[in-house]
């Protein structure tokens, strides 16, 4: 049995986010009818060969064959669309129309910027969305100013959010047969990777991030042989080991350098970085790799995407699969990013290009109808309890997404707290809001008994610890199932649950490196480039973990079985390579940025103005010619390639620098040239952004002591359900006693835990 056995999906989308959403449904049992509303799918884009695998294409004309389309909707469970809110086709495939055809339909819209606000009908150009959500301003580059981001975080994030929303709707529909409207957006995906939080306890990030790293022992370094290694020493223990094997342990005793993670000032940080940089150049990369691996120092080679396909751990994770695509023939694609122990998915095969044939549809229409609609009255995960044993980014992302869907999430922390808690940064607060905190020492035998009962009584446990760590806490699968045979365990590991890298320490930058993301981000002729502020594999894997949890809950409601769900940062990296994790005859490598990391071509890139940066997307013949006319280059460059870098870009640079951003934005927009400002300071300005406000993406809270907080929220929206207020991130152990008593822990046991110092309360 697969999770979505018996579920029928209509995917009408044109963009990649919709295809990513329906790929996860198809790979886990759903039958997906690909019926593009716009008939403009670029089937020759090799990435779609992966994203549309296992789906059936049908070219239904919604004008002449609408009756057949309605019958298809009547027999289906899910419809996905990515039309603009103002698109005339909304009258044919919008929720208000189709809910009359099928009251039990789950209808998901993926818009560029949401259903409301001044940008609601703006184009779905993902690089413009990255600019408007502050991503390009936050990304460090080899030159000053905004930096092009090479990876499809917007499409991947929106696709995962849509799949998560739909799966939540399917779970609740099992209870009452109700259809539901589900909205997400490409802008929401930007917020998934750059979550926002402000408040009295929220502190801005103190460390200056560079294009090669964020700290002296958390950066990319060139070795003697010209290869690059990424270090990932996330805590002081790793720093001490690394400094020792590098022969600089004595230098580290200088108080200026702190523990290697927190030098006293920027000058000291730069000094220590130079020391480590010079040491790394004294040995070839292979020697450093062998040395680091022998003593458990977190590291990775900065590899290419082609090398990632050969990575022994990636192969072990079954992420290298071969299909025979109808266009590209024999083709290597990535495998299933989320693994289920009891309901394993499967790749059905390559996409099926049926063209205009409606025979499969007519045969399908002979199947049984959907249940009658009733109603929703609560969030989909209301009543679900989640034990959140996570830290840093990937794990807390899982818990926060589940909490926002209505789950009661218990953040279970050791006495010293989440490793990110001391920094009290924006991401820590953004990812741990809407939870309750219990702080307990799992190493203490008495406390461990209480912890086992609490976790074992939950519906879901999410964790992002190294394999084996849960067992040492007494929370292995066998023990948990004694308390609850139906419990769902979700593990997000760095490299995989087993295999050659499984026991290595791992963090997001290491997965970036192994999977070729840093090499691609570097741009033409540059060294690899660090993607730290975006943490792409962390947020992607965290969202996949949340999706896996809800898929397993849905499967449990149908079968009564709990199970173990696994994903990891390397699997996440496969999704982020924009089709480059593939092999086929005459493969064309994807485009990467120029040496200045401005963009993909003269007509699709960042340009500096007199007071900032704008992103211009004008590779079409009409928009490209209009751009040349506006900057006074009429007659020049008309025959130049629109998808390449050339001297023309330099001429455009000089012209655009003459005026400010507002001048160019108004002029270009009035002439039909897609463009956007690269927003600076969006960490704070988000909370004043009219687009976010009108789409209810901000939640504000005031605590009993008068302190105020606000968070990005509502990335997956259910218009028919009430929007809940986000509770601020709890203090360490804020709910410890409350949770112990709630789960029926005996008072004598609670007294013993308190007396031996194994419980933290505020």
């Amino acid at each position: 049995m697969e999770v979505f056995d018996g579920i029928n999906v209509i995917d009408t989308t044109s963009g990649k986010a919709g295809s990513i959403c329906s790929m996860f449904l198809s790979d886990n049992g759903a039958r997906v009818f690909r019926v593009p509303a716009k008939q403009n799918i670029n089937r020759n884009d090799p990435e779609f060969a992966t994203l549309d695998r296992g789906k059936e294409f049908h070219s239904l004309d919604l004008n002449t064959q609408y009756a057949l389309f309605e019958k298809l909707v009547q027999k289906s469970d899910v419809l996905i669309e990515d039309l603009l809110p103002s698109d005339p086709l909304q009258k044919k495939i919008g929720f208000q129309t189709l809910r009359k055809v099928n009251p039990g339909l789950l209808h998901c819209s993926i818009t560029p910027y949401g259903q409301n606000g001044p940008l609601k009908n703006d184009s779905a150009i993902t690089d413009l969305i990255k600019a408007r959500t502050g991503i390009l301003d936050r990304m460090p580059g080899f030159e000053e100013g905004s930096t092009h981001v090479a990876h499809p975080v917007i499409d991947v994030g929106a696709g995962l959010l849509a799949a998560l929303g739909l799966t939540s709707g399917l779970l609740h529909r099992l209870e009452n047969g109700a259809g539901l409207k589900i909205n997400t957006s490409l802008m929401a995906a930007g917020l998934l990777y750059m979550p926002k939080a402000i408040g009295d306890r929220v502190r801005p990030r103190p460390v200056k991030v560079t294009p090669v790293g964020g700290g002296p022992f958390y950066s990319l370094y060139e070795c003697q042989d010209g290869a690059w290694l990424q270090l990932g020493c996330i805590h002081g223990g790793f720093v001490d080991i690394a400094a020792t094997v590098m022969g600089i342990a004595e230098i580290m005793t200088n108080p200026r350098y702190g523990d290697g993670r927190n030098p006293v000032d920027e000058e000291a940080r730069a000094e220590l970085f130079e020391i480590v940089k010079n040491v790394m150049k004294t040995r070839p990369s292979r020697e450093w790799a062998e040395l680091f691996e022998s003593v458990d120092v977190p590291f990775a080679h900065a590899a290419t995407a082609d090398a990632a396909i050969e990575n022994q751990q990636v192969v072990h994770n079954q992420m290298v699969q071969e299909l025979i695509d109808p266009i590209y023939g024999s083709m290597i694609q990535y495998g299933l990013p989320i693994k289920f122990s009891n309901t394993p998915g499967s790749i059905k095969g390559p996409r099926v290009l049926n063209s205009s044939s409606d025979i499969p549809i007519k045969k399908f229409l002979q199947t049984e109808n959907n249940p009658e609609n009733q109603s929703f009255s609560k969030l989909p995960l209301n009543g679900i309890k989640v034990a959140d044993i996570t830290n840093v980014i990937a794990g807390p992302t899982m818990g926060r997404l589940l909490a926002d869907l209505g789950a009661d999430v218990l953040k279970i922390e050791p006495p010293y707290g989440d490793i990110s808690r001391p920094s009290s940064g924006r991401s820590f607060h953004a990812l741990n809001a809407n939870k309750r905190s219990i702080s307990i020492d799992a190493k203490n035998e008495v406390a461990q008994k209480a912890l086992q009962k609490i976790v074992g009584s939950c519906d879901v446990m999410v964790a992002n610890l190294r394999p084996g760590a849960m067992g040492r806490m007494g929370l292995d699968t066998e023990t948990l199932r004694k308390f609850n045979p139906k419990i769902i365990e979700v593990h997000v590991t760095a490299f995989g649950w087993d295999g050659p890298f499984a026991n290595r320490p791992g963090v997001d930058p290491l997965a970036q490196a192994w999977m070729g993301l840093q090499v691609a981000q570097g741009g033409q002729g540059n060294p690899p480039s660090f993607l730290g502020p975006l943490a792409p594999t962390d947020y992607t894997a965290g969202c996949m973990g949340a999706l896996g949890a809800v898929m397993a809950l849905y499967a449990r409601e149908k079968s009564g079985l709990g199970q173990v769900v696994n994903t990891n940062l390397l699997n996440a990296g496969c999704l982020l390579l924009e089709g480059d994790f593939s092999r086929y005859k005459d493969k064309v490598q994807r485009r990467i940025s120029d040496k200045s990391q401005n963009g993909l071509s003269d007509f699709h890139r960042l340009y500096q103005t007199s007071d900032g940066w704008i992103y211009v997307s004008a590779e079409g013949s009409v928009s490209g010619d209009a751009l040349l006319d506006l900057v006074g280059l009429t007659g020049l460059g008309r025959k130049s390639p629109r998808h390449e870098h050339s001297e023309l870009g330099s001429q455009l640079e000089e012209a655009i620098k003459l005026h400010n951003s507002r001048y160019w934005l108004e002029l270009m927009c009035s002439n039909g040239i897609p463009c956007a400002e690269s927003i600076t300071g969006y960490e704070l300005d988000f909370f004043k952004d009219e687009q976010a406000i009108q789409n209810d993406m901000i939640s504000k809270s005031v605590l009993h002591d008068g302190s105020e907080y606000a968070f990005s929220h509502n990335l997956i929206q259910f218009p028919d359900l009430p929007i809940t207020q986000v509770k601020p991130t709890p203090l360490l152990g804020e709910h410890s006693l409350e949770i112990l008593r709630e789960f029926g822990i005996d008072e004598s046991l609670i007294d013993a835990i308190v007396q031996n110092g194994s419980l933290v309360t505020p």
Side-chain angles (χ1 to χ4, degrees), residues 120-193:
K120 69 178 182 180
N121 289 310
D122 214 77
S123 60
I125 300 173
T126 56
D127 284 321
L128 302 190
I129 293 164
K130 292 173 188 173
R132 286 186 173 126
T133 53
I135 290 174
L136 306 187
D137 172 64
R138 287 286 309 278
M139 185 58 54
F142 294 110
E143 297 183 8
E144 292 296 320
S146 294
T147 303
H148 173 80
V149 171
H151 304 300
V153 292
I154 300 298
D155 283 325
V156 169
L160 286 169
L161 290 171
L164 180 56
L166 282 167
T167 306
S168 301
L170 285 167
L171 173 64
H172 201 328
R173 198 184 69 165
L174 287 175
E175 179 182 330
N176 59 14
L180 187 66
K181 182 74 180 84
I182 300 155
N183 294 328
T184 191
S185 65
L186 304 182
M187 180 181 177
L191 297 174
L192 171 67
Y193 289 89

Side-chain angles (χ1 to χ4, degrees), residues 39-323:
Q39 300 295 317
N40 61 348
I41 299 297
N42 182 5
R43 295 179 180 177
N44 291 320
D45 181 337
E47 188 175 10
F48 275 114
T50 298
L51 301 183
D52 285 332
R53 64 195 184 194
K55 305 173 190 176
E56 305 167 33
F57 275 78
H58 300 279
S59 299
L60 291 185
D61 187 322
L62 295 184
N63 292 314
T64 63
Q65 296 177 288
Y66 189 68
L68 183 60
F69 178 76
E70 280 188 320
K71 290 181 180 179
L72 183 61
V73 171
Q74 285 178 343
K75 301 292 185 178
S76 295
D77 304 277
V78 169
L79 184 137
I80 312 164
E81 57 94 354
D82 61 357
L83 301 175
L84 295 176
S86 64
D87 195 299
L89 279 173
Q90 288 285 3
K91 294 179 180 179
K92 291 182 177 290
I93 69 171
F95 181 59
Q96 296 306 321
T97 298
L98 296 183
R99 75 188 309 179
K100 299 173 185 176
V101 176
N102 178 357
L105 184 70
L106 297 170
H107 185 288
C108 181
S109 293
I110 306 171
T111 54
Y113 294 95
Q115 299 287 337
N116 304 298
L119 296 174
K120 69 178 182 180
N121 289 310
D122 214 77
S123 60
I125 300 173
T126 56
D127 284 321
L128 302 190
I129 293 164
K130 292 173 188 173
R132 286 186 173 126
T133 53
I135 290 174
L136 306 187
D137 172 64
R138 287 286 309 278
M139 185 58 54
F142 294 110
E143 297 183 8
E144 292 296 320
S146 294
T147 303
H148 173 80
V149 171
H151 304 300
V153 292
I154 300 298
D155 283 325
V156 169
L160 286 169
L161 290 171
L164 180 56
L166 282 167
T167 306
S168 301
L170 285 167
L171 173 64
H172 201 328
R173 198 184 69 165
L174 287 175
E175 179 182 330
N176 59 14
L180 187 66
K181 182 74 180 84
I182 300 155
N183 294 328
T184 191
S185 65
L186 304 182
M187 180 181 177
L191 297 174
L192 171 67
Y193 289 89
M194 288 281 184
K196 310 300 180 201
I198 54 173
D200 291 356
R201 296 198 301 263
V202 181
R203 296 199 295 266
R205 181 183 176 92
V207 177
K208 181 180 179 181
V209 180
T210 74
V212 292
F217 291 88
Y218 205 78
S219 293
L220 275 158
Y221 290 102
E222 186 177 16
C223 301
Q224 190 181 70
D225 55 358
W228 290 72
L229 290 184
Q230 168 78 52
L231 297 181
C233 301
I234 195 169
H235 60 67
F238 285 137
V239 171
D240 291 343
I241 298 170
T244 299
V245 298
M246 288 180 183
I248 57 174
E250 186 174 345
I251 293 173
M252 295 298 295
T253 61
N254 188 330
R256 279 175 50 76
Y257 301 142
D259 64 354
R261 295 188 309 150
N262 299 295
V264 295
D265 53 30
E266 181 57 29
E267 182 181 356
R269 190 206 68 80
E271 284 177 13
L272 185 55
F273 179 87
E274 284 299 312
I275 291 169
V276 178
K277 177 181 175 181
N278 291 332
V279 171
M280 290 295 292
K281 284 187 176 180
T282 63
R283 294 176 184 242
S285 58
R286 182 178 296 275
E287 286 188 18
W288 280 123
E290 291 174 353
L291 185 57
F292 290 152
E293 186 175 357
S294 69
V295 294
D296 207 34
V297 170
F299 80 96
H301 291 276
T304 63
D306 281 339
I309 297 174
E310 304 289 342
N311 184 296
Q312 57 182 323
Q313 183 64 45
V314 173
V315 173
H316 178 86
N317 291 342
Q318 298 180 317
M319 289 304 288
V320 182
Q321 301 290 326
E322 183 176 0
L323 296 180

Side-chain angles (χ1 to χ4, degrees), residues 570-583:
L570 295 183
N571 288 10
C574 294
L575 272 71
L576 293 164
L577 282 170
E578 200 162 25
D580 216 21
F581 190 93
S582 64
R583 283 182 184 163

Side-chain angles (χ1 to χ4, degrees), residues 389-597:
I389 307 176
T390 69
N391 58 81
V392 193
I393 293 177
T397 297
M398 279 194 286
R400 173 65 199 276
L401 288 169
L402 297 175
D404 288 352
L405 290 168
D408 179 13
V409 179
L410 315 177
K411 184 172 180 61
I412 299 171
E413 302 177 75
Y416 50 82
D418 182 323
I419 194 173
S420 297
R421 190 177 274 277
S423 68
S424 201
R426 291 192 178 103
S427 64
F428 171 75
H429 284 275
L431 298 179
N432 291 290
N434 236 8
K435 303 177 184 179
R436 295 190 287 159
S437 171
I438 174 173
S439 178
I440 192 166
D441 186 1
K443 296 179 181 178
N444 178 273
E445 185 176 345
V446 176
Q448 195 174 90
K449 291 180 180 179
L451 184 58
Q452 287 171 338
K453 183 173 182 180
I454 291 170
V455 177
S457 300
C458 287
D459 298 281
V460 179
M461 182 195 75
V462 297
N464 68 332
L465 307 182
R466 272 206 258 183
M470 300 304 296
R472 292 190 291 274
M473 295 169 65
L475 299 174
D476 56 280
T477 300
E478 184 179 354
T479 299
L480 290 177
R481 288 193 173 172
K482 290 178 182 177
F483 288 92
N484 180 4
K486 297 183 179 181
I487 193 169
I488 292 162
E489 297 178 51
V490 185
H491 298 278
V492 174
T493 53
F495 305 127
W497 191 250
D498 48 30
F501 288 13
N503 292 315
R504 292 186 181 187
V507 287
D508 169 76
L510 304 186
Q512 294 176 23
W514 284 120
M515 296 308 297
L517 299 178
Q518 293 179 336
V519 168
Q521 178 62 23
Q524 296 176 1
N526 285 331
S529 189
F530 181 73
L531 287 146
L534 199 57
T537 67
D538 260 337
Y539 287 111
T540 302
C543 197
M544 287 198 300
L547 173 58
V550 182
M551 288 170 67
L553 284 168
Y554 175 73
R556 188 180 73 175
E557 285 300 303
K558 293 199 301 181
S559 69
L561 298 175
Q563 60 181 313
V564 178
V565 183
N566 276 294
T567 189
N568 60 74
L569 306 188
L570 295 183
N571 288 10
C574 294
L575 272 71
L576 293 164
L577 282 170
E578 200 162 25
D580 216 21
F581 190 93
S582 64
R583 283 182 184 163
Y584 52 91
K585 186 178 180 181
D586 301 323
K587 176 183 174 181
V588 177
Q589 298 293 327
R590 68 163 166 156
R591 294 189 292 166
I592 61 173
S593 182
D594 60 315
K595 189 172 182 60
S596 296
Q597 294 178 296

